[in-house]
Amino acid sequence: MDLVFRDAEVVDGSGGDSYRADVGIEGGRIVSIVKEAAAAGCQRPSARRVLDAEGLVLSPGFVDMHAHSDLALLRDPDHSAKAAQGVTLEVLGQDGLSYAPVDDRTLDEVRRAITGWNGDGSDIDVDWRTVGEYLDRLDRGIAVNAAYLIPQGTVRMYAMGWEDRPATAPELDRMRRLVAEGLAQGAVGMSSGLTYTPGMYAPDSELTELCRVVAEYGGYYCPHHRSYGAGALRAYEEMVALTREAGCALHLAHATMNFGVNEGRAPELLALLDEALGAGADISLDTYPYTPGSTTLLALLPSWASEGGPEAALARLRDDATAERIRHHLEELGSDGCHGVPVDWATIEISGVADGALTDRVGRRLDGWPTARRLLLEDRLGTTILQHVGHEENVRTIMRHRVHTGGSDGILQGLKPHPRAYGTFPEYLGRYVRELGVLSLEECVAHLTSRPAARLRLPDRGLVREGYVADLVLFDPTTVASGATYENPRTLPVGIPHVLIDGRFVMEDGRRTDVLAGRSVRRTELR
């Protein structure tokens, strides 16, 4: 064999008890698992390389179910932000906005709309237009594997621009075709950002029709739903009902219960999901193990302020009378962009800017609308923020649920990004398993491996099993921890010495190798 891990403590991703074993790898797959080899006195597997794994846990690679590395994987071959965490697969195309399918107009508009998430993309040779071409670009070699969701907001932008109105019949047909083509080319489902323009302009009837297409291909729908604040439970109910009508699997993105109005209300969300699951719904969700959220400053504005695209939004911000209307919605009514909750500027921390001349603003809290307005104009909408509005007990309650998976929602742009981008998976293992005991180690690993693999319908990933792809992590359960903090968010974790993708070391002895073993992971055909 190519490699044997000797005397590893195997946590196989199933949720079952761990066991000690020698695990052999050949040709990028797990080919031998010999349990208690030393104690049994049996012939131990041999290989060209034998690595002593005593004291280390061997688990499947972690799946980041909500990542914003769409351009980062192309920009930064190292990508230690995720590789060092033990992530071997990221799901891209989130929140309804990404870079395929596009035409030239749509590409220019989407690049500007999500500069805060991914940079403006001017450093990337965007040589694709379709989903399949984007996945082909990833197949040239990336740090970790990647799956892709068709972004519904981008599809709507492509088909009908930034108008806040129902689609015409021909426009809806065009959107259906774009979604079907993307799924046929390998996308695993469709995402929406229903507090982001222009995707949020879609009525439920339009979303239902697109979800019917997703269901035909065996994909899943992943909505950032219409409210995480004042209307959160209604928004969850809306997504459950919509996907039940469409016959489509549902995966709830970063399913938190934020803002003061939702403190202590996580059990209500889980009761809603349990009722739907009991009635036969196919539902899963992801969360990150932190309380604050992160998005763009532009996203807080009422949706009407962005109708027509980025240039129209800037024009409204320049006009004093319109800017006052925006302030009224933000501070007094509670805009749809801020989840129906009047904004508390003291909770808004600037995490990144697009204009390097504005870097002195990073780390500051906003002191009111005049400052926010000025920053949006000076930074041409490229500002990212942390929003400190979460509740720890809600975080713990939701992560215990049987359909929970892990997702970082990691934005890698900005001088001071959310630490979840660099720390989500070791934070689960170190803080919530070892320190707090919220989950057992076996439960937690299942949440991060086999459950997401099942949602993605991957037949040979997510478990330590003979015949499975050797996407593996070795970590020290006594020391694994996130190094990332709010003050130093780009610090790498500790206690994760080895990460393999396709049987090749992408992290070895705690250091990033030069291996680019990642490829696109495409939708599995229905059987």
Side-chain angles (χ1 to χ4, degrees):
M1 290 181 285
D2 300 324
L3 173 66
V4 166
F5 293 109
R6 185 154 288 172
D7 289 323
E9 189 67 23
V10 177
V11 177
D12 68 4
S14 69
D17 292 342
S18 66
Y19 57 86
R20 180 167 288 210
D22 291 356
V23 178
I25 297 167
E26 184 174 1
R29 291 188 177 264
I30 301 167
V31 296
S32 174
I33 301 175
V34 181
K35 295 183 179 181
E36 301 291 350
C42 60
Q43 179 67 38
R44 307 191 75 168
S46 61
R48 284 180 284 280
R49 178 178 179 186
V50 176
L51 194 153
D52 182 2
E54 187 169 3
L56 298 178
V57 166
L58 174 68
S59 83
F62 306 136
V63 179
D64 188 341
M65 285 295 287
H66 192 105
H68 289 285
S69 302
D70 307 49
L71 297 185
L73 279 165
L74 302 175
R75 175 181 294 121
D76 176 21
D78 181 81
H79 202 52
S80 289
K82 295 300 178 67
Q85 292 187 60
V87 171
T88 58
L89 171 60
E90 297 183 273
V91 185
L92 313 177
Q94 300 288 350
D95 295 333
L97 291 166
S98 190
Y99 305 92
V102 292
D103 57 10
D104 291 349
R105 172 191 61 82
T106 307
L107 175 62
D108 180 65
E109 291 177 348
V110 78
R111 282 166 65 166
R112 296 187 61 192
I114 53 176
T115 291
W117 293 356
N118 298 303
D120 66 11
S122 60
D123 57 332
I124 304 293
D125 177 18
V126 181
D127 58 354
W128 67 83
R129 292 295 181 269
T130 69
V131 169
E133 289 168 349
Y134 175 67
L135 298 178
D136 289 343
R137 175 70 178 271
L138 298 179
D139 282 342
R140 298 180 196 174
I142 48 179
V144 304
N145 295 315
Y148 188 73
L149 295 165
I150 300 166
Q152 170 260 330
T154 301
V155 166
R156 197 174 211 267
M157 195 187 309
Y158 193 160
M160 55 182 294
W162 291 76
E163 297 182 48
D164 183 2
R165 60 171 176 79
T168 64
E171 288 167 342
L172 183 55
D173 284 342
R174 190 179 191 193
M175 284 189 272
R176 286 195 195 97
R177 288 195 302 273
L178 289 168
V179 171
E181 289 167 2
L183 289 161
Q185 292 164 8
V188 295
M190 182 181 74
S191 75
S192 283
L194 300 179
T195 64
Y196 298 124
T197 56
M200 68 189 301
Y201 299 145
D204 283 0
S205 57
E206 180 180 310
L207 296 172
T208 300
E209 288 303 306
L210 298 183
C211 282
R212 293 188 198 280
V213 177
V214 175
E216 289 173 8
Y217 284 84
Y220 68 93
Y221 181 44
C222 180
H224 165 127
H225 50 276
R226 296 192 193 273
S227 176
Y228 287 79
L233 288 173
R234 290 192 302 276
Y236 284 114
E237 289 171 354
E238 175 191 14
M239 294 298 101
V240 170
L242 186 156
T243 50
R244 291 298 301 277
E245 181 178 350
C248 185
L250 172 65
H251 180 85
L252 296 167
H254 39 62
T256 57
M257 292 290 285
N258 286 338
F259 299 92
V261 294
N262 291 318
E263 185 172 2
R265 300 188 71 186
E268 296 178 56
L269 166 62
L270 300 183
L272 165 67
L273 300 183
D274 284 336
E275 181 179 0
L277 289 162
D282 183 0
I283 300 174
S284 55
L285 59 86
D286 66 69
T287 68
Y288 45 82
Y290 299 88
T291 49
S294 179
T295 186
T296 63
L297 181 57
L298 173 66
L300 302 186
L301 273 55
S303 57
W304 58 261
S306 293
E307 186 178 4
E311 284 302 324
L314 287 166
R316 293 186 181 101
L317 287 165
R318 292 187 193 102
D319 180 75
D320 289 343
T322 308
E324 171 56 23
R325 285 184 61 209
I326 294 172
R327 183 208 64 78
H328 178 67
H329 277 256
L330 275 170
E331 295 184 347
E332 299 178 37
L333 300 181
S335 77
D336 48 6
C338 197
H339 309 281
V341 177
V343 68
D344 178 358
W345 294 113
T347 68
I348 308 300
E349 178 184 357
I350 302 166
S351 61
V353 291
D355 185 345
L358 302 172
T359 55
D360 63 313
R361 317 290 176 86
V362 174
R364 297 184 188 180
R365 299 288 179 116
L366 290 174
D367 59 7
W369 170 240
T371 302
R373 177 192 178 191
R374 185 166 58 251
L375 183 57
L376 284 164
L377 286 168
E378 292 175 354
D379 205 27
R380 294 189 59 80
L381 314 179
T383 306
T384 53
I385 61 169
L386 300 182
Q387 194 168 15
H388 295 268
V389 293
H391 303 286
E392 177 65 21
E393 189 52 42
N394 284 351
V395 170
R396 298 186 192 190
T397 299
I398 293 169
M399 74 169 62
R400 294 187 185 104
H401 197 270
R402 66 187 186 279
V403 300
H404 169 267
T405 67
S408 72
D409 196 11
I411 295 174
L412 298 167
Q413 287 295 117
L415 290 178
K416 198 178 178 187
H418 197 303
R420 67 195 185 192
Y422 282 72
T424 286
F425 295 87
E427 184 78 355
Y428 271 118
L429 298 169
R431 176 168 168 75
Y432 287 92
V433 171
R434 184 180 64 247
E435 296 177 10
L436 299 176
V438 174
L439 295 167
S440 72
L441 180 59
E442 290 85 354
E443 287 177 310
C444 185
V445 169
H447 288 219
L448 307 181
T449 60
S450 64
R451 287 187 188 174
R455 165 54 68 218
L456 296 167
R457 298 177 59 243
L458 304 178
D460 55 0
R461 299 174 196 259
L463 293 168
V464 179
R465 292 281 192 276
E466 291 183 359
Y468 274 55
V469 175
D471 291 352
L472 300 169
V473 182
L474 283 98
F475 62 90
D476 184 341
T478 67
T479 64
V480 62
S482 171
T485 65
Y486 291 100
E487 291 305 313
N488 296 289
R490 295 186 185 275
T491 306
L492 297 179
V494 297
I496 306 179
H498 305 297
V499 181
L500 293 87
I501 293 178
D502 198 31
R504 302 166 66 192
F505 284 91
V506 296
M507 297 291 299
E508 187 171 9
D509 295 323
R511 296 180 181 274
R512 178 72 173 92
T513 70
D514 60 1
V515 169
L516 295 176
R519 298 293 186 272
S520 70
V521 174
R522 308 196 186 204
R523 183 184 56 83
T524 303
E525 293 291 338
L526 285 170
R527 291 179 171 81

